[in-house]
Amino acid sequence: MAQTLHGESPELQFGRYQFALNGLSTSPGDVERRRNDTRITRYPYYPVELSIWQLVNSELDSFESVHHRFWWSRHTGKALAVLLYNARYPAELQYRNLKFFAEAVAPHLGVSQEILGSDTPIWPSFMTDDGTPVEISWDWGTKNAPPIIRYSVEPIGLHAGTSVDPGNLTAGPAFQAQLARSLPTMRLEWFHHFNDFFGIPKVKEGEFYEDTRDHNSNIFYAFDCSETEIIPKVYFFPKFRAKACRLSNLDVLFQAMRTAPHVTEGNFKAGDIFHVFCSSVSNKRLEYEMLAIDLIDPLRSRLKIYFRSRETTFNSVINIMTLGGRIRSPKLYEGLVDLHGLWNALFGVSAALDQPLREVEHRTSGMLYNVEFRLGDALPVPKIYLPVRHYSTSDEAVIRGLNDYFQGRQKGKYMPDYIKAMSTLL
């Protein structure tokens, strides 16, 4: 997917290109040797991309389950290794990020349907359209800055979706406890507030009020593999409290934010501007999905509201990215022109601004947006995620579209690395 930012640079930021893997080729291919590879031990049966993965693998004492082994050895662990290598992470940072994933994250991704020989997961995650609880991102950054690898997960217990834990209510606390040990500098004031606010109402043990018409995911986590540290984020869903209180998702989201520690009437101006936009008659059909925060000092953390529009004209994109004209700047308008070029390249269209994309009937069709702001900000920052899985013709078309977009703008220093990574993974 892709995102464009207001208030930074007219350059576009790309990220969250989603894929789900059922295996991984170990063919070495034509891989460039990089300077930081000189310290890497070579393992005879693994390509260079997996050398650090193999080092971490050799240090793991044991696996908590066959499913832990699957997520690390046969699925996400290797995919993450390939992306970190091709994004030119130094060996020590590859090691740090893979070690964290293997020990802190992989044990909490639930039961593998491949291990069970099932066509559908016992607990289908809303994280991806096929129910896989992991999404890996390649964040292109701005200008020619190095890419950042990110990933999002839904913690899932081994008994989620069964009579033992029908609502997957044990996985979240267990995962949070693991993170507290692995990332002890996390700030949790906002986590505790929002977790208590959005928590699923307690019912009798063994009972769960399943939403049979929609997903039942209740919390996501995400991790940015930055140069200096692993940055954790957490995502909350308003739908459960909204249903229990007979309120809209939007009302519940703003109740939660306005009652959070450190929030005052004076430092919530950006949130108020977004609320006015959401409350206008023309935007009543927007669908509000999630609220995300960074697990850092609340005064530096972002509040990120995710919402979906079923409209797929570029005019509707302009309306939302400018919040109905409330945000105006030359950089934003330059960014929208650039975004339109990317839109055409990825979706293979050259239609008028008021021409919608082809119709797709799916829970995640349409455009996904978020707005983010920190306390004290004057304006929120809108972003858009382009759902290439619905509106592009193939993975190859996405890669070709990105390459054409970059070539036309003399950008894309890391495009060859991205193509190598995708050639290995797809």
Side-chain angles (χ1 to χ4, degrees):
M1 302 180 192
Q3 62 187 33
T4 181
L5 302 183
H6 158 69
E8 293 187 359
S9 161
E11 307 289 339
L12 295 177
Q13 288 195 348
F14 310 110
R16 299 175 62 83
Y17 178 52
Q18 176 185 321
F19 52 88
L21 305 172
N22 291 319
L24 187 66
S25 168
T26 57
S27 173
D30 179 22
V31 182
E32 293 181 357
R33 295 173 63 93
R34 298 190 173 91
R35 285 177 297 176
N36 61 49
D37 293 338
T38 57
R39 292 169 291 169
I40 299 176
T41 302
R42 305 292 174 185
Y43 292 88
Y45 301 110
Y46 288 90
V48 65
E49 297 103 317
L50 296 181
S51 293
I52 300 297
W53 179 93
Q54 173 60 18
L55 173 61
V56 173
N57 189 61
S58 69
E59 295 176 353
L60 295 177
D61 294 330
S62 62
F63 292 93
E64 296 184 17
S65 68
V66 294
H67 307 289
H68 177 193
R69 180 188 293 274
F70 170 84
W71 295 113
W72 166 249
S73 300
R74 295 172 56 186
H75 198 277
T76 313
K78 287 182 177 176
L80 182 60
V82 169
L83 289 173
L84 289 168
Y85 177 85
N86 283 286
R88 307 192 193 184
Y89 277 65
E92 61 271 17
L93 293 187
Q94 293 180 53
Y95 178 87
R96 179 200 69 185
N97 290 298
L98 290 171
K99 187 83 166 177
F100 173 76
F101 178 83
E103 296 181 344
V105 180
H108 299 276
L109 297 178
V111 170
S112 160
Q113 66 190 72
E114 184 174 317
I115 295 293
L116 294 184
S118 171
D119 292 333
T120 57
I122 296 176
W123 182 267
S125 175
F126 188 55
M127 178 65 67
T128 59
D129 285 351
D130 68 356
T132 303
V134 187
E135 181 183 82
I136 308 180
S137 311
W138 175 294
D139 184 344
W140 290 91
T142 56
K143 297 186 182 296
N144 278 320
I148 295 176
I149 302 304
R150 310 178 298 182
Y151 58 95
S152 306
V153 302
E154 177 180 5
I156 300 177
L158 294 180
H159 300 290
T162 72
S163 59
V164 176
D165 184 15
N168 188 35
L169 300 182
T170 63
F175 187 54
Q176 182 62 31
Q178 174 64 63
L179 291 185
R181 295 189 294 270
S182 301
L183 302 173
T185 61
M186 288 189 306
R187 292 285 295 271
L188 299 176
E189 299 99 313
W190 271 8
F191 172 82
H192 292 310
H193 167 76
F194 290 116
N195 193 51
D196 291 343
F197 193 95
F198 291 118
I200 295 178
K202 292 184 178 180
V203 295
K204 293 180 181 179
E205 186 175 350
E207 290 185 1
F208 174 65
Y209 296 142
E210 181 182 5
D211 188 338
T212 57
R213 296 186 298 176
D214 197 16
H215 72 88
N216 288 282
S217 297
N218 63 77
I219 195 166
F220 289 165
Y221 287 80
F223 304 94
D224 289 0
C225 303
S226 79
E227 182 178 352
T228 56
E229 60 184 329
I230 297 172
I231 303 173
K233 297 171 283 188
V234 63
Y235 299 70
F236 301 96
F237 292 87
K239 55 178 277 186
F240 302 101
R241 182 173 179 120
K243 184 176 181 180
C245 298
R246 298 184 179 181
L247 295 171
S248 70
N249 284 0
L250 180 65
D251 288 341
V252 167
L253 284 169
F254 273 87
Q255 281 183 5
M257 290 187 290
R258 286 187 169 124
T259 57
H262 308 293
V263 175
T264 67
E265 183 177 343
N267 65 17
F268 198 69
K269 298 298 185 184
D272 291 335
I273 289 172
F274 180 60
H275 190 262
V276 171
F277 168 76
C278 298
S279 302
S280 64
V281 174
S282 60
N283 298 313
K284 288 293 187 181
R285 298 179 66 182
L286 297 177
E287 303 168 20
Y288 300 92
E289 301 275 19
M290 298 181 293
L291 171 71
I293 59 170
D294 306 301
L295 295 181
I296 60 175
D297 180 351
L299 296 178
R300 295 190 298 113
S301 173
R302 297 164 297 174
L303 289 158
K304 301 172 67 176
I305 304 165
Y306 288 77
F307 59 100
R308 194 178 308 278
S309 171
R310 301 295 173 175
E311 292 189 56
T312 60
T313 67
F314 200 78
N315 271 344
S316 69
V317 173
I318 294 172
N319 176 59
I320 292 177
M321 296 298 290
T322 62
L323 296 187
R326 291 171 177 82
I327 303 177
R328 301 179 182 182
S329 78
K331 285 186 177 181
L332 175 59
Y333 295 137
E334 289 176 25
L336 287 170
V337 171
D338 220 11
L339 175 61
H340 191 235
L342 178 64
W343 176 282
N344 290 338
L346 291 179
F347 298 145
V349 298
S350 56
L353 298 181
D354 60 354
Q355 179 66 38
L357 300 175
R358 62 187 175 88
E359 187 172 347
V360 175
E361 292 291 334
H362 195 278
R363 171 63 176 83
T364 59
S365 63
M367 296 295 133
L368 181 66
Y369 299 85
N370 79 53
V371 296
E372 68 176 48
F373 55 91
R374 293 175 174 85
L375 297 183
D377 283 353
L379 291 170
V381 176
K383 300 180 183 179
I384 181 171
Y385 296 80
L386 302 181
V388 293
R389 62 189 179 277
H390 290 316
Y391 300 106
S392 296
T393 56
S394 66
D395 293 323
E396 291 75 15
V398 172
I399 295 171
R400 186 168 56 250
L402 275 176
N403 193 52
D404 291 346
Y405 169 84
F406 282 132
Q407 291 297 325
R409 290 160 177 79
Q410 289 78 50
K411 302 177 184 177
K413 175 182 177 181
Y414 295 91
M415 190 67 199
D417 302 286
Y418 179 77
I419 291 175
K420 288 178 184 177
M422 294 301 104
S423 297
T424 302
L425 296 172
L426 297 177

